[in-house]
Each structure stands twice: as C-alpha cells, then as structure tokens.
C-alpha cells in the first residue's frame, strides 16, 4: 500500500499553523501533480484530446492576513526544496523567463523535460505583471502549457522558442479582496481562471494552544522521505505496466482510468444545464477535470500499485 503521504503532510503541517487544513492538502496535491508531470513518472487521464496530464493549478484565497495562505505555500516550498527542487520554476514571470527555464531543463536533461512548478506565496505580483502591456503574452502561454500540447513554438525577442509537451503546475495565494483588482472578466470567461482550483479558507478562530514558530528541518526531511518513497513505488508500477504493454504490442503511455463506481461518483457533479449562466457552466465543466486529476493523485497515494481509480479516491 501507499505511504499515505498526503495525510502525513496535512497532519504534520497543521501542528505548526492554525491555517485551514484544506490549504495544506491543496498544496500537497499540487506539489505531487508537478512531480508526477515529470516525464519519468508521467501518466495520463482517460478522456480528452490530448489526454490530460497530472498538472494542477491551485489558488488559495481568503481574507488579507487571515487564514495563513502564504504561510502554507512557504511550508510546501520548504519541502519541495528538499524533495524535488529541480522542478521549481522561475520567480520572474515573463514569457522570455519562462521559456528560458523550460529550455534550460531540456538542455540539462532530455527534450521531454519541459516541466515546471510555478509557486507564488503572493500571487498578486504575478497577476499584476501578467496584465501589463509588455507581458500580455504570458497568460496565453500559460494556457498552452496547462493543456500540454505536443509541441509549442513561439517567436520571443527575435528568437524562436520550441519545446515538446510543455507542462506547468501552479500554486499560489491571493487575498480574496484583490481578485477584482488582479483578474478580469475575460480571465474568468476566457478560461484562464477556470483552470485554477480555487480554495477558500476561513480566518481561524482564536485558540488556546500556542503553536511552534516553524517546523524543524528534521520534520521536512522525514516528509521528503515519505514523498520520495511514494514516487518510487509509483515508478515501479509504471515500469511493470510498460513492460507488460511492450510484451503485448500495445502502444501509448500509462493511463489511469476510473472504475465504474468512480465514474458514477464523478457523475454526481451537477451537469451544466441549458440556460445556466455561462460562467457557472464553465466552472462545473472544469470541476470534473479537476476532480479526475485530484482522484488520480489520491489513488496513487493510497495504493500506487494499481492503475484504476477507485470510488474512495474520488
């Protein structure tokens, strides 16, 4: 069975902050989505053209200074720096900077290594930058990277940028009251914001327990070992399945499919109805894809030896 890394992370981080536990869980899911988007660990989800990769975009929102949004993102960053630092993307958000980071990974590893995890404890800075005239190409570029196209070509600063299967995972935090300032109607209706799994947390109630200031390095080292153990167990499953596929003459990559019970659970989501507000219909449509991505990660965490997503994972 799996290492139950997700629950271990939420339990351990909750000892050191009164942030909503769902923030820790969302951060852990998104970090794993970035790691599983690495070419050596990749899998696809059944449905869609092209078949979706694991990458997630997550935005934590809440009142300014309230539910410790940025604190939880920084905690996850500490773990990432130990567990899998090479996937961390640049802090400078320009098309040129993003392209340079993608190409750096492909030069140092393989041409299929164009995978980055963009982390923003203060996401307003990135969104504000993306709205400036010199940076207007950033959001369309990110949209293409979310969809993991077979090949991406673009002319940037008189040089052609080309990568194969670029993919990006994003995790960030933003004060709820800043959403109208940093996002536009086009962002919501045009698909940019609907690709985010938006997680809202409440301001924690005053507690009597005094929390430690920060986790020790030993805490992060122990969690990193559990996370890497999970990734290694999944890697072994991938190898076994690829060996079986080659012997059977099957082509394609590893695909995680939902069990009949899991599909039934997924169908419990309210479908977009005729006459429904377009924005709400878009959100509901995206919700199904978010849930499939989350369920695949939950399945690997609970049992990395299977390729079928169970109802419990949903």
């Amino acid at each position: 069975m799996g290492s139950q890394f997700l629950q271990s992370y939420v339990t351990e981080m909750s000892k050191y902050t009164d942030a909503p536990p769902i923030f820790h869980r969302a951060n852990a899911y998104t970090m794993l989505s970035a790691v599983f988007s690495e070419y050596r660990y990749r899998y696809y989800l059944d449905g869609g053209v092209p078949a979706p990769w694991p990458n997630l975009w997550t935005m934590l929102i809440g009142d300014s200074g309230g539910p410790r949004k940025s604190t939880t993102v920084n905690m996850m960053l500490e773990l990432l720096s130990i567990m899998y630092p090479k996937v961390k993307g640049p802090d400078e958000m320009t098309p040129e900077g993003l392209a340079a980071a993608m190409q750096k990974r492909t030069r140092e590893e393989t041409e299929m290594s164009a995978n980055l995890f963009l982390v923003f404890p203060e996401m307003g800075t990135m969104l504000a930058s993306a709205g400036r005239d010199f940076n207007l190409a950033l959001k369309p570029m990110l949209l293409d990277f979310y969809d993991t196209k077979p090949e991406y070509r673009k002319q940037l600063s008189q040089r052609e940028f080309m990568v194969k299967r670029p993919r990006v995972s994003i995790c960030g935090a933003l004060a709820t009251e800043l959403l109208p300032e940093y996002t536009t109607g086009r962002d919501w209706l045009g698909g940019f914001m609907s690709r985010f799994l938006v997680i809202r947390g409440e301001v924690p109630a005053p507690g009597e327990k005094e929390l430690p200031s920060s986790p020790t390095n030993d805490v992060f080292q122990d969690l990193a070992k559990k996370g890497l153990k999970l990734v290694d167990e999944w890697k072994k499953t991938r190898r076994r399945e690829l060996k079986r596929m080659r012997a059977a003459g099957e082509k394609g990559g590893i695909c995680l499919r939902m069990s009949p019970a899991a599909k039934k659970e997924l169908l419990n989501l309210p479908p977009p109805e005729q006459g429904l507000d377009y924005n709400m219909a878009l959100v509901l449509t995206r919700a199904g894809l978010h849930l499939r991505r989350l369920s695949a990660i939950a399945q690997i965490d609970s049992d990395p030896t299977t390729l079928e997503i169970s109802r419990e994972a949903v």
Side-chain angles (χ1 to χ4, degrees), residues 3 5 32 226-234 300-301 304:
S3 66
F5 165 77
L32 285 180
K226 290 182 178 180
L228 291 172
K229 178 184 176 185
L230 174 65
V231 172
D232 186 61
E233 289 174 345
W234 167 246
I300 293 173
D301 181 63

Side-chain angles (χ1 to χ4, degrees), residues 175-197:
T176 309
E177 53 266 37
L178 293 179
L179 275 171
E181 180 177 347
Y182 289 131
T183 63
T184 66
R186 181 175 294 179
D187 289 332
W188 292 93
L189 298 177
F192 182 74
M193 286 303 301
S194 69
R195 283 170 168 79
F196 279 95
L197 184 63

Side-chain angles (χ1 to χ4, degrees), residues 88-146:
K88 171 71 168 60
D91 296 320
E92 177 196 3
M93 273 295 99
T94 64
E96 291 78 11
L98 196 55
M102 284 280 190
Q103 289 185 320
K104 182 175 185 290
R105 287 215 65 190
T106 59
R107 284 196 308 269
E108 293 176 351
E109 298 175 55
T110 72
E111 65 176 8
M112 297 297 288
S113 298
N115 176 46
L116 293 174
F117 185 22
L118 308 180
V119 185
F120 307 101
E122 301 294 340
M123 200 163 190
T125 303
M126 185 276 281
L127 292 173
S129 175
R132 293 173 182 160
D133 290 344
F134 71 89
N135 222 10
L136 293 180
L138 181 61
K139 286 180 181 176
M141 188 182 203
L142 288 172
L143 287 173
D144 284 331
F145 292 172
Y146 178 89

